[in-house]
Amino acid sequence: DWRMGLALGLALALSSTAIVLQTLNEKNQLGTPTGQNSFSVLLFQDVAVIPILAALPFLAHPGGFASDHASTGDGHGNDGGGHGEDHGSASDALFDLTTMLPAWGQAMVSVAVIAGIVVAGRFLLRPVFRTVARTRIRELFTAVALLIVVGIAFLMGAIGLSAALGTFIAGVVLADSEYRHELEGDIEPFKGLLLGLFFITVGAQINFAILLAEPLVIAALLVGLVALKAAVVYALGTIIRLEQGNRITFALLLAQGGEFAFVLFGFMISEDVLPRSITERFTLVVALSMVVTPLL
């Protein structure tokens, strides 16, 4: 169905900010034309997750996938269903304020709340941080920043969106603060630890039951995804007149799937956009594409 194809394309079009930025930092290439263009594309993709999440309910399959929700197994072993359970909901919030609303109502609420967060961040956070800065207590500064991030993540969960999306929006809001450099210094110790946890979760997405059952299919999907995305990005690099060597690096850097694909797949299952059997396969493909990126 065209709705399923469009939804899958939107998820697979995203690349991994964490993987690419870490690779660029390790090779000291973030300040190069390739690094700057890659960062620009990644930032735009992350922002694009917001309208994608708002649009997905409109791509729900008319008949739904009732049998898919009822049965966790799809012929690939019991752990295949358990793996999918991790993505059965877009959020882990204690409650969802939008469950009774129609799809268009959920989309309107999502857009309104996100716009409200951005406006509040611009006009309310600065006086709050100025007040905290006057105390000259460094730990309080960090605590307030973390409280803002957790609060926005919780709010995103309460309207049926992903907490991961909430933390990204919180980062965008905090980056607009005049204290952004101090905040960067405060959270620096957390980056290595949390990035390590992120890579652990990527590894945990690999469902070996499907990989062993359909190795050729998964390999073909992986090669197809990486080759197609690399070709598209290489063409874009040609349009913006990057040098040949930079063009190749640019294409290979952005050829993998992204971490937000996991969020979107979970949301697609809960909204009857894609069946679990498809999202499980492509969750595996995205995770493997992340693994091969440093090698590329």
Side-chain angles (χ1 to χ4, degrees):
D1 186 88
W2 69 268
R3 299 176 190 86
M4 296 168 65
L6 178 57
L8 192 58
L10 289 171
L12 296 179
L14 304 174
S15 300
S16 174
T17 304
I19 298 270
V20 175
L21 291 186
Q22 181 69 10
T23 303
L24 289 169
N25 279 323
E26 288 175 354
K27 298 183 179 299
N28 198 27
Q29 291 186 343
L30 194 54
T32 65
T34 301
Q36 292 296 295
N37 281 288
S38 298
F39 181 76
S40 300
V41 172
L42 291 166
L43 184 61
F44 190 90
Q45 287 181 349
D46 290 344
V47 173
V49 172
I50 299 170
I52 291 174
L53 279 169
L56 282 179
F58 298 100
L59 298 177
H61 197 273
F65 301 106
S67 61
D68 194 64
H69 289 298
S71 175
T72 56
D74 61 355
H76 301 297
N78 293 331
D79 59 341
H83 169 82
E85 296 273 348
D86 296 338
H87 304 286
S89 173
S91 72
D92 298 320
L94 297 176
F95 57 91
D96 187 344
L97 300 176
T98 62
T99 50
M100 304 302 292
L101 296 177
W104 64 267
Q106 293 179 7
M108 293 293 290
V109 169
S110 301
V111 172
V113 169
I114 291 169
I117 291 172
V118 173
V119 172
R122 177 170 287 273
F123 295 104
L124 297 181
L125 280 189
R126 291 179 181 179
V128 169
F129 277 126
R130 287 194 196 104
T131 303
V132 173
R134 290 193 196 103
T135 66
R136 299 186 181 278
I137 302 175
R138 189 180 184 89
E139 291 79 5
L140 182 61
F141 205 85
T142 306
V144 170
L146 292 176
L147 177 64
I148 291 169
V149 172
V150 172
I152 293 177
F154 182 80
L155 180 60
M156 287 293 103
I159 62 172
L161 296 180
S162 163
L165 178 62
T167 58
F168 172 75
I169 295 173
V172 173
V173 169
L174 292 175
D176 194 38
S177 167
E178 59 198 84
Y179 297 97
R180 60 173 296 173
H181 297 297
E182 186 169 350
L183 286 167
E184 286 177 359
D186 288 344
I187 66 173
E188 188 68 31
F190 298 99
K191 285 176 65 176
L193 174 63
L194 297 179
L195 195 61
L197 287 174
F198 164 74
F199 286 118
I200 291 174
T201 61
V202 170
Q205 305 300 329
I206 299 178
N207 187 344
F208 287 100
I210 297 178
L211 184 60
L212 294 175
E214 302 177 340
L216 295 180
V217 172
I218 298 301
L221 290 172
L222 175 61
V223 172
L225 172 66
V226 172
L228 183 59
K229 290 188 73 172
V232 171
V233 177
Y234 184 88
L236 294 174
T238 304
I239 293 173
I240 63 175
R241 299 179 180 177
L242 278 178
E243 294 180 1
Q244 177 71 14
N246 290 336
R247 232 179 292 167
I248 295 173
T249 308
F250 184 50
L252 294 178
L253 276 171
L254 299 177
Q256 78 291 119
E259 52 272 7
F260 274 121
F262 302 140
V263 175
L264 293 176
F265 286 151
F267 191 66
M268 288 175 193
I269 292 174
S270 64
E271 294 294 324
D272 282 325
V273 178
L274 287 177
R276 192 183 302 277
S277 57
I278 290 180
T279 58
E280 280 191 341
R281 286 175 178 82
F282 279 96
T283 294
L284 174 60
V285 170
V286 169
L288 291 174
S289 73
M290 290 179 173
V291 173
V292 302
T293 296
L295 301 177
L296 293 174

